[in-house]
Amino acid sequence: MLDDTLKSQLQQYLGMLREPIRLIASLDDSSASAEMRELLTVIAGLSEQVHFDDSGDDARKPSFVVAREGQTHGVRFAAIPLGHEFTSLVLALLWTGGHPPKVEPEVIEQIRALEVDAEFEVYMSLSCHNCPDVVQAATLMAVLNPRIRTTVIDGALYQAEVEARNVLAVPLTYMNGQVFGSGRMTVEEMLAKLDTSSDAREAAKLDAKEPYDVLIVGGGPAGAAAAVYAARKGIRVGVAAERMGGQVNDTMAIENYISVLETDGPKFAAALEAQVRHYGVDIMNLQQAQSLQPADDDGLHTVHMANGGRLQARSVILSTGARWRNINVPGEAEYKNRGVAYCPHCDGPLFKGKRVAVIGGGNSGVEAAIDLAGVVAHVSLVEFAEQLKADAVLVAKLKSLPNVDIHVNAQTTEITGDGKQVNGLTYQDRASGESHHIALQGVFVQIGLVPNTEWLGEAVARNRFGEIVVDAKAQTNVPGVFAAGDCTTVPYKQIVISAGDGAKAALSAFDHLIRQTAPAVAAAA
């Protein structure tokens, strides 16, 4: 179960425990319980600070609680947390045993100060790369605040429970029996939902900040590269982002970023943030921009935020990225997270043995179909164009799979359901005009991106697709306002291109600043 390398690493981590902990298991005669017993026995054997106890009697069997010695409550895993969740298990052990979390002190204090009784249930899958963020956030809150309890549930292990609750996308978080959040959430995002007074405090913090030389709106590859290049000029730089890393956080495998042979989205996003912080950039995470007011008489651009705060700067770089495009047919919105999904890596295991469709014949769609074909019973790929647009090697692989049907020149017209969950997809043959219906339980939408630029209104020029119009130097039509990455008219939406554009925008912004009369920039230059 754990190879020698993992055991050695885990033993080193357990050496950091400051207090003894107990693993209290609730087991039955199932093979999963035997597997859990084996795992917990191995862990307990690696440290004298860890004790295994099989006296638990929770309704969910198998499951176990990570508790402080002398206590019976703590974080519960209704799962065998390997795969992507092994790190979550290690952190639960360390935090429960008194090892301090690597979280900002104000976040820790905010968690401890919460006056709310919360029972979190986090549904996840071991192959989901977005799930650990939610699992670890809910775990930390339960460790730090005795009024909060957390149970982590593997949907594949508790399939009957998942079906009863109609869980068709992970991560899905319940609080006190009601849906609390769907999709990836950080501890800061969970706190923002629980602490209703946080918006006013955040707005006051933003209002109190001095103007920046460069303010970057968006924290993906373009925003991070812009921040690094601008900060290296010795000027005052700020980044306001909804989430550092942007959509990269939702990418499973990255194998085409030059000099990085292979990584995954969350690791890449963490590396981006680490490098930005290394240069002393003021990062303002979980900040949603609401409007842009171009420079006034004093030469300051103003970005108004959704929480009521505002930020000012002598130059602005817009790098707000893009999001998955919706198919916009009847049934899509109604059955989102009830059979309609956008991440095959996260939600694919929930459809094990079922029939699903993938909408989209580009690289993303074909890769999704190949991935799903190894998990589900059958995949129907539906593509609007007359032929698949994916790379030839991917198309060849797809066509070699026995449980995949391909429908080209097919326009999806409706996603159908029974009121509770998806039960089919209807498409029209564009050549004959005939309508066809496919009976299935899941639909994965993979048809491209939409730029996150609606908030700009008429502040800068955008094309008919909503992309910010930029020139070869990343300049918009507004002096002092630049843009980079997937939100712009630059073709080929790729991480490496976004990073290069971010660097270009920062250099252009600095060139703009040194030609102005701002004292701070003149001194820095």
Side-chain angles (χ1 to χ4, degrees), residues 142-349:
V143 170
L144 295 177
N145 191 319
R147 298 180 64 171
I148 298 174
R149 303 291 178 90
T150 293
T151 301
V152 180
I153 306 158
D154 179 6
L157 188 60
Y158 284 87
Q159 201 149 16
E161 182 175 333
V162 160
E163 291 177 359
R165 268 187 157 169
N166 203 30
V167 177
L168 294 173
V170 292
L172 181 65
T173 306
Y174 280 79
M175 187 184 85
N176 299 336
Q178 302 296 319
V179 174
F180 177 79
S182 176
R184 182 180 181 271
M185 285 190 295
T186 63
V187 67
E188 292 86 357
E189 289 172 313
M190 294 183 73
L191 276 172
K193 296 188 72 169
L194 291 170
D195 187 353
T196 55
S197 62
S198 62
D199 274 358
R201 292 197 304 271
E202 282 298 311
K205 289 180 182 178
L206 298 184
D207 289 344
K209 291 181 180 291
E210 293 295 321
Y212 297 94
D213 292 315
V214 177
L215 174 64
I216 300 155
V217 185
V228 169
Y229 268 74
R232 285 171 61 87
K233 295 296 185 181
I235 58 180
R236 178 169 160 75
V237 181
V239 174
E242 287 194 48
R243 58 171 178 165
M244 283 301 296
Q247 196 184 33
V248 165
N249 287 289
D250 303 325
T251 303
M252 184 58 183
I254 300 172
E255 300 174 348
N256 56 357
Y257 194 85
I258 306 307
S259 83
V260 179
L261 185 61
E262 182 180 358
T263 185
D264 60 49
K267 288 181 182 177
F268 191 84
L272 291 177
E273 181 172 354
Q275 188 171 20
V276 173
R277 290 191 183 277
H278 174 75
Y279 284 100
V281 173
D282 186 7
I283 295 178
M284 296 156 281
N285 207 6
L286 304 182
Q287 300 296 333
Q288 182 180 5
Q290 193 169 59
S291 65
L292 169 65
Q293 180 182 331
D296 50 21
D297 293 339
D298 60 5
L300 294 177
H301 305 274
T302 303
V303 178
H304 296 274
M305 314 305 289
N307 60 17
R310 68 169 192 169
L311 296 167
Q312 293 188 306
R314 296 179 178 86
S315 66
V316 174
I317 297 174
L318 306 171
S319 57
T320 47
R323 62 188 182 275
W324 291 115
R325 184 183 298 276
N326 292 325
I327 193 71
N328 292 323
V329 298
E332 180 184 23
E334 180 182 357
Y335 292 107
K336 183 177 181 181
N337 296 329
R338 294 194 293 161
V340 175
Y342 300 84
C343 179
H345 301 292
C346 301
D347 302 329

Side-chain angles (χ1 to χ4, degrees), residues 304-509:
H304 296 274
M305 314 305 289
N307 60 17
R310 68 169 192 169
L311 296 167
Q312 293 188 306
R314 296 179 178 86
S315 66
V316 174
I317 297 174
L318 306 171
S319 57
T320 47
R323 62 188 182 275
W324 291 115
R325 184 183 298 276
N326 292 325
I327 193 71
N328 292 323
V329 298
E332 180 184 23
E334 180 182 357
Y335 292 107
K336 183 177 181 181
N337 296 329
R338 294 194 293 161
V340 175
Y342 300 84
C343 179
H345 301 292
C346 301
D347 302 329
L350 299 174
F351 294 86
K352 183 177 181 179
K354 299 180 180 180
R355 301 176 70 88
V356 304
V358 173
I359 301 176
N363 281 349
S364 295
V366 172
E367 286 174 351
I370 293 170
D371 184 40
L372 289 166
V375 178
V376 304
H378 188 273
V379 179
S380 296
L381 188 141
V382 181
E383 164 57 33
F384 181 84
E386 294 182 1
Q387 60 184 14
L388 300 181
K389 297 169 288 185
D391 295 341
V393 64
L394 295 175
V395 174
K397 173 65 175 177
L398 182 72
K399 290 181 176 179
S400 73
L401 300 175
N403 61 335
V404 174
D405 287 338
I406 301 172
H407 306 277
V408 295
N409 211 18
Q411 181 176 1
T412 301
T413 56
E414 184 180 9
I415 296 172
T416 62
D418 60 6
K420 293 183 178 180
Q421 63 188 56
V422 166
N423 64 14
L425 177 147
T426 302
Y427 72 90
Q428 183 180 54
D429 186 313
R430 296 176 60 224
S432 67
E434 293 182 7
S435 183
H436 301 271
H437 185 264
I438 307 172
L440 42 76
Q441 290 80 46
V443 176
F444 289 81
V445 181
Q446 302 277 291
I447 58 169
L449 303 170
V450 178
N452 297 318
T453 60
E454 296 92 341
W455 64 279
L456 288 166
E458 302 299 320
V460 297
R462 296 182 290 151
N463 67 10
R464 64 189 181 92
F465 302 110
E467 298 168 325
I468 301 169
V469 179
V470 294
D471 65 11
K473 291 186 176 181
Q475 297 175 122
T476 71
N477 65 314
V478 178
V481 177
F482 305 83
D486 289 357
C487 66
T488 73
T489 51
V490 172
Y492 309 121
K493 313 304 186 185
Q494 297 290 311
I495 294 173
V496 69
I497 293 173
S498 292
D501 283 348
K504 183 197 302 181
L507 295 174
S508 294

